[in-house]
Amino acid sequence: MLRFLRKYSSSIGVKILYGLLAALFILWMGGGIGGERRQDVAVVYAQVISHQDLEQATTALTRRYEQLLRGRADLLRGLNLSGQALDQLIQQALLRHEAARLGIAVANAEIDETVKRMPDLQQNGRFDRSLLEANLRGERVPGAFEDAVRQDLLRQRLQALVTDGVGVSDGELEERYRFDHEKANLAFVRNAAADLAATITLSDEELQKYLDGHADPYRVPARVRARYVAYRPADFLSRVEVKDDEVAEYYALHKDDKFTEPEQVRARHILVKTAADAGADAKAAARKKAEELLAKVKAGGDFAALAKERSEDAGSAANGGDLGLFTRGRMTPAFEEAAFALQGGGLSDVVETPFGFHVIKVEEHRPGGAKPLETVHDEIADTLKRERSLALARKQAEEDRRKIARGAPFAEALAGRTIEETPPFAKGAEVPGVGRVPGFAESAFALREGEVSDLIESPDAIYLLAPFAYSEAHAPPLDEVRERVTADARRERGEAAARERADKLLARAREIGLDQAAAEAGVQVEETGPFERVDSIPKIGRVADLTADAFTLTPEAPLAPKVYGTGGDAIVAALRAHTPADMAGFEDAKDKLRETLLKQKREAVLTAYLSYLMKRAQSEGALEVRADARPRG
């Protein structure tokens, strides 16, 4: 499917592939494209990780953290995202090499099925080929999308292989439940920074000194405005005519790759595992167990419930044995033969594969085949109209750009077009009235006033622009930012004062206890009330180090060891009481807790495995990282 789409789709220069699927694929793609050793930052078993790979991975990671931290640049600065991205790229390269060494492979049919299930490629609950086409036409590197899907499937298979056999005992569950549901109650004194800040008066000299020492948050970035013309395909749609014979020709060309669905089966299964070297007695016992489960299903038992309870396939048991839709070539031959021989609702006999013994129930059997032309006629006509209207828009933009290249002024060359103007915008910011169009802002800042850009393409329009009214980045005078500087300087002073008071209170509490020290200082002692480790602390909020310390305190040593900060306030705390976990809810919570612990243990095993792969690569001399490739964070 992907091969045909790439071959016959006409390019529109849409560069949105990485924006749409970056979270899933960006790290897999690092080091996996191209063989040139161009400014390498690392080489892992001959897989090159270039500066470009690292920049793309860092950008993707930064965007994710910006979403999580809501743009808090001050928090981002301490995260060393470039170093994190490099570590992840190296890990992915190690996993790719290990998958190849173990002979783990992914069939083309599996890639097609995975693509069809991607949420970003669904429209009204069904796979929309036009969304996939748009992404393939926007590929920066031919085949990168397909390779990324393949590598992600390889990673999933390798991860499943590494973590297979990880389990959680009932004893572990009980211990973790007790740990999670133990409660603590704290006494605390809050030293409120805002109250102290309100009493602070600052002179102009102090404000200027603060501004000089904290210039970056107040710096006004360079800005520019742009005049532009947008050539929108929709404006050219009325000039496009599509004939029936053209629709038929397109249908004939794309019948196999766009309008033919493969035969598919959706099945559930119950697996009784056997080891690869299992003897005859062990296999006989496993077959007997599978036959007993088959008998229960035939007697009216709920297949999904039995699979969830009894299947030994960790990947599907939790979903009632559901394997989803799959095509031929994805399952082992014996399993596939049995599944595709059944119709919807059909039940197999016991089927033996290298994994063990299966009972299979087919929920749905889609025969596949080509859709009739008449059912897709309008869809094809709309596709051709969109492509041709885009071509007309591009042609008109190119003609106007040639006029400018021959010396015609911007306004003269574009006479008769609607010339729009942006308000001032900064580099990297969204352009008002245009949005985030790749290349628009970059061109505006790269050109001198009076110069005109090349064609800039987006999914919705093609642009020509000319920048004007450029202003340099500058530090503003105090009067322009006085209100912000005053608020920030007061807040900083208030937080320092709160911390100083808390330090004094803690020192005194170490001598006479928190209650007496607070009474002596004339401040109020509050109580949080009971809370668990996973809770936000009542009346205080989420303070991770205070939560951790609270459960280490004892009646003999109740005072928390340090001052804790939250929202600028400074907290001094002491234990009031510990309450053991109430085990009444343990049975109801077991299944969910087991799932959580299993996930955590699998992640720990995978981390340990990655550490092993890293050490092995280093010992084999197969891992090279440039000394200056890890920026300090």
Side-chain angles (χ1 to χ4, degrees), residues 1 111-118 121 127 132 145 149:
M1 176 180 70
I111 295 175
D112 288 350
E113 288 306 307
T114 299
V115 169
K116 288 178 181 178
R117 292 196 298 270
M118 288 181 178
L121 301 181
F127 170 66
L132 174 60
F145 177 89
V149 178

Side-chain angles (χ1 to χ4, degrees), residues 372-391:
L373 172 59
E374 56 269 20
T375 65
V376 294
H377 180 281
D378 292 347
E379 176 188 340
I380 294 173
D382 289 343
T383 297
L384 291 173
K385 286 179 180 178
R386 286 195 300 270
E387 289 181 356
R388 292 176 184 180
S389 61
L390 176 63

Side-chain angles (χ1 to χ4, degrees), residues 414-434:
L414 300 173
R417 312 266 177 254
T418 301
I419 299 177
E420 302 177 68
E421 293 185 357
T422 71
F425 60 90
K427 185 180 293 186
E430 183 170 317
V431 181
V434 175

Side-chain angles (χ1 to χ4, degrees), residues 199-322:
T199 66
I200 295 171
T201 301
L202 297 166
S203 67
D204 281 1
E205 183 180 356
E206 290 173 310
L207 292 174
Q208 186 62 56
K209 184 177 180 180
Y210 181 88
L211 178 57
D212 293 341
H214 303 78
D216 284 349
Y218 307 98
R219 183 172 293 277
V220 178
R223 296 180 186 274
V224 72
R225 299 183 65 190
R227 296 184 180 92
Y228 68 94
V229 171
Y231 301 83
R232 296 180 174 86
D235 297 337
F236 294 83
L237 200 58
S238 62
R239 294 163 53 181
V240 174
E241 181 182 358
V242 175
K243 298 178 181 179
D244 287 343
D245 61 341
E246 293 172 323
V247 172
E249 181 182 357
Y250 186 94
Y251 175 78
L253 185 64
H254 293 281
K255 183 177 179 179
D256 291 337
D257 63 290
K258 292 191 67 171
F259 306 115
T260 299
E261 293 288 347
E263 183 183 12
Q264 298 177 87
V265 160
R266 181 189 169 204
R268 298 178 185 271
H269 81 134
I270 300 172
L271 171 64
V272 180
K273 278 187 177 180
T274 55
D277 57 352
D281 290 345
K283 284 191 174 183
R287 177 181 284 277
K288 182 180 179 182
K289 185 177 177 181
E291 288 172 344
E292 290 171 353
L293 291 167
L294 175 60
K296 287 186 178 182
V297 175
K298 287 182 174 180
D302 186 314
F303 192 99
L306 277 170
K308 188 171 185 178
E309 179 183 353
R310 304 290 296 278
S311 179
E312 295 173 10
D313 176 13
S316 69
N319 297 321
D322 192 353

Side-chain angles (χ1 to χ4, degrees), residues 286-558:
R287 177 181 284 277
K288 182 180 179 182
K289 185 177 177 181
E291 288 172 344
E292 290 171 353
L293 291 167
L294 175 60
K296 287 186 178 182
V297 175
K298 287 182 174 180
D302 186 314
F303 192 99
L306 277 170
K308 188 171 185 178
E309 179 183 353
R310 304 290 296 278
S311 179
E312 295 173 10
D313 176 13
S316 69
N319 297 321
D322 192 353
L323 298 170
L325 280 167
F326 55 88
T327 56
R328 292 185 183 274
R330 286 192 59 190
M331 303 298 179
T332 57
F335 190 101
E336 177 183 295
E337 183 180 349
F340 278 88
L342 298 170
Q343 296 304 311
L347 187 67
S348 75
D349 291 328
V350 173
V351 177
E352 182 178 1
T353 75
F355 299 100
F357 295 90
H358 309 254
V359 178
I360 305 168
K361 181 182 179 183
V362 169
E363 300 284 2
E364 181 183 5
H365 192 146
R366 298 182 184 179
K371 299 177 183 178
L373 172 59
E374 56 269 20
T375 65
V376 294
H377 180 281
D378 292 347
E379 176 188 340
I380 294 173
D382 289 343
T383 297
L384 291 173
K385 286 179 180 178
R386 286 195 300 270
E387 289 181 356
R388 292 176 184 180
S389 61
L390 176 63
L392 287 174
R394 185 185 295 111
K395 181 180 178 182
Q396 185 63 68
E398 288 171 345
E399 289 177 0
D400 291 348
R401 183 67 182 86
R402 280 195 292 271
K403 292 178 186 177
I404 294 170
R406 289 194 291 264
F410 186 80
E412 180 183 322
L414 300 173
R417 312 266 177 254
T418 301
I419 299 177
E420 302 177 68
E421 293 185 357
T422 71
F425 60 90
K427 185 180 293 186
E430 183 170 317
V431 181
V434 175
R436 291 190 181 276
V437 173
F440 192 101
E442 293 84 350
S443 295
F445 278 92
L447 297 169
R448 292 190 294 270
E449 188 162 336
E451 293 181 332
V452 179
S453 70
D454 291 328
L455 270 58
I456 300 166
E457 296 198 18
S458 79
D460 302 315
I462 298 169
Y463 297 90
L464 281 176
L465 69 85
F468 70 101
Y470 180 85
S471 63
E472 296 285 351
H474 62 278
L478 175 61
D479 284 344
E480 286 186 13
V481 289
R482 178 181 295 274
E483 188 173 337
R484 285 176 56 200
V485 171
T486 300
D488 292 344
R490 279 180 174 169
R491 183 178 62 252
E492 183 180 275
R493 291 277 189 93
E495 291 174 1
R499 181 74 189 210
E500 184 180 351
R501 287 194 178 188
D503 285 337
K504 291 179 179 179
L505 179 63
L506 177 62
R508 186 59 174 152
R510 286 173 178 150
E511 298 172 356
I512 60 175
L514 179 60
D515 289 306
Q516 291 188 47
E520 186 177 274
V523 294
Q524 180 184 0
V525 177
E526 302 179 67
E527 283 195 20
T528 62
F531 62 92
E532 298 176 356
R533 284 179 171 86
V534 296
D535 294 336
S536 173
I537 303 175
K539 301 181 184 179
I540 293 178
R542 292 197 177 277
V543 184
D545 49 352
L546 177 55
T547 298
D549 289 345
F551 288 89
T552 67
L553 302 176
T554 66
E556 294 74 28

Side-chain angles (χ1 to χ4, degrees), residues 22 24-31 57 61 64 85 88-89 92 96:
L24 179 60
F25 298 135
I26 187 69
L27 295 178
W28 271 104
M29 293 173 66
L61 202 59
R64 264 179 277 159
Q88 290 172 329
L89 287 168
Q92 301 301 340
R96 278 197 297 273

